[in-house]
């Protein structure tokens, strides 16, 4: 194959010269029209770095999908073929590549078995009178499988459309790509999933959002509905980052209702305003803010902005919409844990070590907002977010970093702090044990430090899984400590909460997939830490290490390690005393819980309804899908839906605080 690629490389370089023999140029112009337009494919997946690039048009050619791909997964890939119509053209990117990168491009594209090279003339954007000589790839005419065109998968189309958008190809051509009807593929195809796993991107931002306004014509509300529709379409007529994509709000539908008094505004499937529930018609400013929070929290509404002043309406949870065939709870859980993208612009800026009264210590990682957030009134009323991670996780987790990035971006926090449980930061703890479901002493200590150093700041708490339980348990048990560690806490947003560990723990240890994949992996790391503590002679005599080594489930480990170290009678006593469910009604700040109904770790029968708490402080979002800490493959936000939703609630709570 290497010899064949080398032959293709030489043959595409116009090699022969009577004076010098074979003359190989130092660079090659390569015209990309398919997935190689996408930087995540070319640069991150194929590790090709262009020297320069320019948008260009290949005239008298047409885009086809006649390169066979894996059946039922990605049925076809793109190619270009000559056309007799002068109206046909293909837009793309002309890259200038070094010879090694060009050779790599040919090899990764399957030249010459799938494609062959062809010299073409391109018309560059902005200068249609000039021509660029370049090499592009066309189907191998000797391959009989390439005679038929097959509709591509939506996944593969997403990669091409995203590449066209990244390079700002003409909107008319992007619209042509958007109009291509995809064919059937399992999971919608794999191309954008592979691209996302290798470096992010894909086409998750492209979705046609629609507002529907149901109104009562008998009440004379048609003109009111038209006015709202016009204002919303004008306000959300572009996207805040990628402005060459379809409008953030694509359309608005007016729906006359036969029910007297009806006036309901919905975005896709989310109710934004209900005249009866919201007691009247919305002020335009509040409607735009609610709509913005659901469409894209990054949108700046200018003079209509409510952030930092004015009344703030109730929080509206958004809907998690995973792509079809990607809803399986184990797929969501495992892919979310192993392949979630780490935000490229997020990193921890500082780490501090906090000594504890019992002679141990824990570390806290801190990230600061890249630019100072304007100080609201009153002065120094900034927002600090403090997070706890899950079982055997730490601040290096992609989920923790994604949460941190969204808290800085969406909620406009000035800093984000991740408190690492003892022994999870890479350093061995000095005291026996480490942490458990209800362990919040270190959180309590750190909050008192923040209150001393930033007495006027607002503090918001967050966490996931075990950390989420610890956050809610802390808030429920310290509800009266207004002058202590709970001082200045304005709210919390958590995800994947085990409300009743006695009900949930047996499901995690259940024979079969859960025990083999999840329980055994947790048990392996927990036993390793227990052995290290034994070797350092810090375990108390109450721990029977021989019995601990025989533990085959998390429950048995809790019996032999957690219970004796923290003075619980047994695991059931431990679960009863540390579960957060019974203490929720004692929480005195607004809090938001996101749990999926298909979480493989939990029994949804234990999920607490907001109405059962006895106050209006609890908000819940229990989507049917999402797995455990997964919530990926969302149609709008990809693998960031969960973290954006947590950030939205933090922003909402903070706005309520500083506007009151």
């Amino acid at each position: 194959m290497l010899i064949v690629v080398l032959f293709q490389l030489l043959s595409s370089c116009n090699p022969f010269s009577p004076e010098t023999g074979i003359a190989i140029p130092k660079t090659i112009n390569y015209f990309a029209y398919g997935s190689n337009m996408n930087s995540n494919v070319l640069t991150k997946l194929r590790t090709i770095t262009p020297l320069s690039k320019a948008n260009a048009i290949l005239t008298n050619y047409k885009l086809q999908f006649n390169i066979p791909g894996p059946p039922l997964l990605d049925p076809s890939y793109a190619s270009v073929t000559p056309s007799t119509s002068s109206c046909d053209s293909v837009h793309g990117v002309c890259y200038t590549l070094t010879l090694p990168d060009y050779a790599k491009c040919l090899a990764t594209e399957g030249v010459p078995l799938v494609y062959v090279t062809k010299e073409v003339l391109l018309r560059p954007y902005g200068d249609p009178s000039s021509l660029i000589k370049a090499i592009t790839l066309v189907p191998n005419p000797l391959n009989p499988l390439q005679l038929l065109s097959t509709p591509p998968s939506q996944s593969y189309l997403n990669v091409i459309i995203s590449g066209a958008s990244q390079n700002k190809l003409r909107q008319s051509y992007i619209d042509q790509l958007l109009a291509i009807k995809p064919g059937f593929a399992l999971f919608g195809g794999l191309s954008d999933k592979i691209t996302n796993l290798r470096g992010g991107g894909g086409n998750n931002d492209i979705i046609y959002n629609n507002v529907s306004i149901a109104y009562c014509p008998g009440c004379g509300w048609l003109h009111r509905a038209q006015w709202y529709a016009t204002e919303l379409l004008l306000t959300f007529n572009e996207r805040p980052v990628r402005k060459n994509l379809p409008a953030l709000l694509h359309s608005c539908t007016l729906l006359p209702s036969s029910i007297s008094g009806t006036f309901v505004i919905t975005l896709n499937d989310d109710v934004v305003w209900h005249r009866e529930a919201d007691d009247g018609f919305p002020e335009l400013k509040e409607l735009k803010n609610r709509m913005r929070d659901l469409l894209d929290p990054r949108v700046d509404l200018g003079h209509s902005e409510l952030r930092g002043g004015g009344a703030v309406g109730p929080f509206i949870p958004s809907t998690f919409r995973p792509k079809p065939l990607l809803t399986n709870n184990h797929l969501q859980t495992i892919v979310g844990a192993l392949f979630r993208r780490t935000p490229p612009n997020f990193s921890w800026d500082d780490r501090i070590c906090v000594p504890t009264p019992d002679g141990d210590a824990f570390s806290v990682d801190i990230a600061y907002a890249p630019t100072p957030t304007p100080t609201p009134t009153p002065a120094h009323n900034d927002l600090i977010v403090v997070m706890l991670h899950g079982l055997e996780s730490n601040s290096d987790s992609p989920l923790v970093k994604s949460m941190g990035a969204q808290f800085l971006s969406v909620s406009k926090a000035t800093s984000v702090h991740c408190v690492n449980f003892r022994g999870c930061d890479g350093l061995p703890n000095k005291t026996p044990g480490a942490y458990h479901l209800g362990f919040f002493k270190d959180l309590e200590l750190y909050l008192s430090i923040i209150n001393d150093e930033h007495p006027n700041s607002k503090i918001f708490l967050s966490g996931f899984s075990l950390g989420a339980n610890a956050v809610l348990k802390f808030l429920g048990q310290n509800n009266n400590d207004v002058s202590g560690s709970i001082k200045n806490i304005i709210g919390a947003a958590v995800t994947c909460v085990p409300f009743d560990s006695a009900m949930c723990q047996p499901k995690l240890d259940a024979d079969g997939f859960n025990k083999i994949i999840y329980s055994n992996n947790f048990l392996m790391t927990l036993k390793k830490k227990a052995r290290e503590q034994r070797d350092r002679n810090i375990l108390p005599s109450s721990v029977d290490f021989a019995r601990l080594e025989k533990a085959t489930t998390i429950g048995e480990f809790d019996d032999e390690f957690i219970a004796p170290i923290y003075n619980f009678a047994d695991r059931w006593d431990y679960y009863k005393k540390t579960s957060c469910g019974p203490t929720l009604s004692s929480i005195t700040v607004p809090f938001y819980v996101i749990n999926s109904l298909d979480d493989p770790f939990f029994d949804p029968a234990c999920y607490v309804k907001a109405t059962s708490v006895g106050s209006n402080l609890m908000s819940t979002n229990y989507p049917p899908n999402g797995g455990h800490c997964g919530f990926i493959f969302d149609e709008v936000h990809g693998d960031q839906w969960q973290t954006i939703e947590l950030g939205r609630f933090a922003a909402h709570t903070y706005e309520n605080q500083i506007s009151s």
Side-chain angles (χ1 to χ4, degrees):
M1 174 61 78
L2 181 60
I3 295 175
V4 173
V5 170
L6 181 61
F7 173 79
Q8 286 284 335
L9 175 63
L10 296 177
S11 65
S12 63
C13 294
N14 193 20
F16 184 76
S17 169
E19 292 79 19
T20 61
I22 295 179
I24 302 178
K26 295 181 179 180
T27 60
I28 294 290
N29 289 332
Y30 162 69
F31 180 66
Y33 50 81
S35 62
N36 278 342
M37 292 192 296
N38 192 308
S39 62
N40 296 312
V41 174
L42 188 74
T43 304
K44 297 181 180 179
L45 189 60
R46 292 180 172 154
T47 64
I48 295 172
T49 305
L51 299 176
S52 63
K53 65 179 182 177
N55 295 340
I57 304 173
L58 177 60
T59 57
N60 299 115
Y61 274 76
K62 59 184 177 181
L63 184 68
Q64 289 196 319
F65 296 90
N66 56 358
I67 303 297
L72 301 179
L73 294 176
D74 273 317
S76 63
Y77 299 123
S79 72
V80 292
T81 55
S83 172
T84 57
S85 173
S86 60
C87 296
D88 285 334
S89 62
V90 179
H91 295 229
V93 184
C94 182
Y95 296 108
T96 301
L97 304 179
T98 63
L99 291 186
D101 273 353
Y102 178 62
K104 187 185 297 183
C105 179
L106 297 185
T108 56
E109 287 285 10
V111 175
L113 300 179
V114 179
Y115 294 94
V116 294
T117 59
K118 184 175 180 62
E119 189 175 89
V120 294
L121 294 176
L122 307 173
R123 295 190 182 278
Y125 275 23
D127 189 8
S129 61
S130 64
L131 295 174
I132 301 175
K133 187 181 292 185
I135 301 297
T136 196
L137 303 183
V138 298
N140 185 339
L142 301 180
N143 189 338
L145 296 177
Q146 298 174 10
L147 298 178
L148 297 176
S149 291
T150 304
S153 69
Q154 183 63 63
S155 174
Y156 181 63
L157 282 173
N158 287 348
V159 174
I160 296 178
I161 295 169
S162 181
S165 301
Q166 290 171 6
N167 290 287
K168 299 184 179 179
L169 297 189
R170 290 176 182 167
Q171 185 61 49
S172 58
Y173 186 73
I174 294 177
D175 290 341
Q176 292 179 34
L177 297 176
L178 288 168
I180 297 172
K181 293 184 178 180
F184 172 78
L186 294 175
F187 313 115
L190 296 180
S191 294
D192 61 351
K193 286 77 174 176
I194 296 174
T195 302
N196 286 339
L197 299 184
R198 293 298 183 94
N203 192 41
N204 291 326
D205 288 339
I206 299 178
I207 187 170
Y208 292 103
N209 295 300
N210 177 69
V211 164
S212 297
I213 303 179
Y215 68 95
C216 173
C219 298
W221 292 340
L222 171 60
H223 293 300
R224 183 186 294 270
Q226 291 173 331
W227 177 64
Y228 282 129
T230 301
E231 287 289 337
L232 291 174
L233 289 171
L234 289 174
T235 299
F236 301 105
N237 63 349
E238 62 181 24
R239 293 174 186 260
V241 178
R242 293 156 63 183
K243 300 180 184 295
N244 54 325
L245 295 184
L248 191 58
L249 187 57
H250 181 257
S251 60
C252 190
T253 305
L254 302 184
L255 303 173
S257 173
S258 59
I259 302 175
S260 179
T262 296
F263 199 89
V264 180
I265 303 175
T266 59
L267 172 65
N268 300 325
D269 297 326
D270 296 316
V271 176
V272 181
W273 191 274
H274 194 293
R275 190 184 68 88
E276 293 183 359
D278 290 299
D279 194 24
F281 296 103
E283 291 290 336
L284 188 58
K285 184 177 291 188
E286 182 172 358
L287 177 61
K288 288 181 178 181
N289 276 263
R290 289 194 186 186
M291 192 68 67
R292 181 273 311 279
D293 290 347
L294 290 174
L295 283 168
D296 193 324
R298 297 170 296 182
V299 173
D300 186 353
L301 295 178
H303 67 276
S304 294
E305 189 68 71
L306 282 180
R307 291 173 177 168
V312 180
F315 179 74
I316 304 175
S318 69
T319 303
F320 174 57
R321 297 186 183 88
K323 294 181 179 180
L325 303 179
L326 294 176
T327 60
N328 179 270
N329 59 344
H330 297 302
L331 177 71
Q332 288 276 334
T333 302
I334 295 172
V335 175
L338 299 180
F339 299 109
R340 186 185 304 273
R341 290 174 296 151
T342 299
N345 298 322
F346 180 85
S347 62
W348 298 112
D349 299 310
D350 194 12
R351 167 172 281 196
I352 61 174
C353 183
V354 181
T356 61
D358 60 357
D360 211 330
F362 62 92
S363 62
V364 180
D365 289 284
I366 307 172
Y368 300 100
T371 56
T373 302
T375 303
T377 302
H380 312 300
N381 213 4
D382 56 330
L383 176 64
I384 296 175
V385 177
V386 180
M387 303 185 296
L388 292 182
H389 57 76
L391 178 66
E392 292 303 279
S393 183
N394 55 45
S395 60
D396 197 43
S397 156
L399 178 55
V400 172
K401 291 182 176 179
S402 294
M403 290 168 64
Q406 297 301 343
F407 280 126
L408 291 178
S409 173
V410 177
S411 67
K412 307 301 182 185
T414 54
S415 60
V416 175
H417 307 236
C418 179
V419 177
N420 291 279
F421 284 116
R422 301 183 190 185
C424 292
D425 55 0
L427 301 174
N429 48 298
K430 302 174 183 178
T431 54
Y435 63 100
H436 58 73
L437 281 160
F439 185 83
F440 52 74
K441 288 184 178 180
D442 294 348
L443 172 65
E444 192 172 22
L445 174 61
Y446 188 64
L447 290 175
S448 65
I449 294 174
I450 291 180
N451 278 316
D452 289 341
E453 296 179 353
H454 306 276
N456 296 314
S457 295
K458 302 299 183 185
I459 301 173
F460 189 87
L461 302 183
S462 188
F464 61 89
S465 198
L466 180 146
N469 187 88
V471 165
L472 296 184
K473 187 71 173 176
F474 164 74
L475 289 174
Q477 288 192 191
N478 291 271
N479 58 313
N480 294 319
D481 187 21
V482 293
S483 61
S485 57
I486 201 170
K487 178 184 176 184
N488 292 332
I489 294 178
I490 62 171
V494 293
T495 182
C496 300
V497 182
F499 294 104
D500 186 334
S501 299
M503 290 183 66
C504 295
Q505 191 277 327
K507 187 172 181 179
L508 177 61
D509 282 336
D511 289 336
F513 192 91
N514 276 15
K515 185 175 182 180
I516 295 172
I517 301 300
Y518 304 129
S519 181
N520 284 353
N521 274 286
F522 283 131
L523 194 60
M524 181 172 58
T525 62
L526 291 170
K527 281 187 174 182
K528 180 181 178 181
K529 288 183 177 180
R531 294 188 193 103
E532 291 172 350
Q533 293 187 25
R534 176 200 60 186
D535 295 342
R536 289 186 286 118
N537 296 316
I538 63 173
L539 286 182
S541 58
S542 57
V543 176
D544 188 331
F545 202 82
R547 289 173 58 89
L548 187 150
E549 283 282 30
K550 295 178 181 179
T552 60
T553 66
I554 299 296
E556 292 174 359
F557 179 88
D558 290 340
D559 261 334
E560 304 302 333
F561 188 79
I562 298 296
I565 287 178
Y566 293 100
N567 298 315
F568 297 111
D570 54 24
R571 71 174 109 162
W572 306 113
D573 182 49
Y574 161 48
Y575 300 150
K576 180 180 179 181
K577 291 179 177 177
T578 59
S579 293
C580 69
T583 64
L584 297 182
S585 58
S586 300
I587 297 177
T588 57
V589 295
F591 63 103
Y592 182 37
V593 177
I594 303 173
N595 273 32
S596 73
L597 294 175
D598 68 352
D599 192 313
F601 293 10
F602 301 155
D603 185 344
C606 75
Y607 288 7
V608 177
K609 296 180 180 179
T611 54
S612 67
V613 172
S615 71
N616 60 353
L617 296 175
M618 183 180 186
S619 298
T620 60
N621 195 343
Y622 298 154
N625 306 112
H628 186 77
C629 296
F631 299 103
I632 58 175
F633 303 126
D634 182 72
E635 290 181 342
V636 179
H637 298 295
D639 58 7
Q640 298 296 307
W641 176 86
Q642 174 182 220
T643 54
I644 289 176
E645 191 71 356
L646 297 173
R648 284 184 60 235
F649 188 80
H652 175 85
T653 306
Y654 180 56
E655 289 160 15
N656 268 324
Q657 282 287 321
I658 63 177
S659 64
S660 59

